[in-house]
Amino acid sequence: MLTLCRPLCGVRSLGIGAVARRASLLPGSVKLSPPSLLAVRGRLPSCPMAPKTRSFQSDWRSWQRSTYEEPRKISLTTTLLAINVGVFGVWFLAESNPKKYIGLSRFLHKHFKTSWLDIKQGRLHTLLTSTFSHIDAMHLLMNMVGLYVFGRPIEALMGGRRMLVFYLGAGVLGNLCQAAFFADRRLPGASMVGASGGVLAMLFAYATVYPSNSFLLWFVLPAPAWLIASGLVAYETYQLVNWNHSDRTGHAAHLAGAAAGVAVGMALRRGRFRW
């Protein structure tokens, strides 16, 4: 499990007398804005100033303005989370009583799972729809945590539309690579589901843009993003080379998503894909 740790910056004197006399900085270390708001190429945000004392009435009026006059937009990452949870709920309903929901179950198995045979038979849409299906609750939880942690900063950097194309494109690419891998192993009917290709693309794009940002691995061990990404590549490569029929993980899809993430991350570092 990966959780995002925000970087810290120390407060230092800028030598601007006029500004320093009129504003007081918080003592000690000050938290910067989240990585999703950081610029990519060398521009550092200023550390926050100490907030001015405000009355309850002014705070209430400010809250009213922000609530009724400027409603917050729902992010694309949140929308993707909701769609994945919704599709999982439909799967759960269909599989809980297959006899009662036999039509729904057949529809999901035909249109929300993909394989090499599906591709050969022209059901190319399953390369996309299968990215919203998950095997069980733990599979869904792990992917959605990764999407939430890494999807928000990538969405802030790229914008919603481009992030959507990137996420879905990485998922389709991962499914294609995994289907080809199964076909090579003479398992053309092996089905695939899951958002792992797109989620790992988000992770590796983030690690490419912010390689030094730290995470808590399993909520305990702090590690930089580049080290976690490197470890994942080594693990997935080893598992792919030593794959056997009892392994239900799509290692080829994971590596394809990782490659897409590195490519987009490099483009982001060069200043592309921004609004």
Side-chain angles (χ1 to χ4, degrees), residues 87 120 143 146 151 169 173 181 183-185 193 217 227 265 270:
V87 172
K120 290 183 66 176
N143 277 338
L173 175 64
F181 175 81
D184 182 65
R185 295 298 189 275
V193 295
L217 189 60
L227 182 60
R270 296 187 181 99

Side-chain angles (χ1 to χ4, degrees), residues 58-112:
S58 63
D59 287 338
W60 171 255
R61 289 175 179 173
S62 175
W63 179 83
Q64 284 182 318
R65 287 195 298 270
S66 63
T67 302
Y68 296 104
E69 297 177 11
E70 299 178 1
R72 293 186 60 184
K73 295 176 61 178
I74 299 177
S75 69
L76 175 65
T77 302
T78 303
T79 303
L80 289 172
L81 282 167
I83 295 173
N84 276 276
V85 173
V87 172
F88 180 78
V90 176
W91 268 105
F92 182 80
L93 177 66
E95 295 299 307
S96 63
N97 194 340
K99 293 183 179 180
K100 181 178 180 180
Y101 302 104
I102 186 171
L104 179 60
S105 180
R106 288 177 177 175
F107 176 83
L108 291 173
H109 280 278
K110 183 176 181 180
H111 296 288
F112 279 80

Side-chain angles (χ1 to χ4, degrees), residues 215-234:
F215 292 85
L216 289 179
L217 189 60
W218 299 302
F219 298 101
V220 177
L221 302 174
W226 68 265
L227 182 60
I228 294 175
S230 301
L232 282 173
V233 169

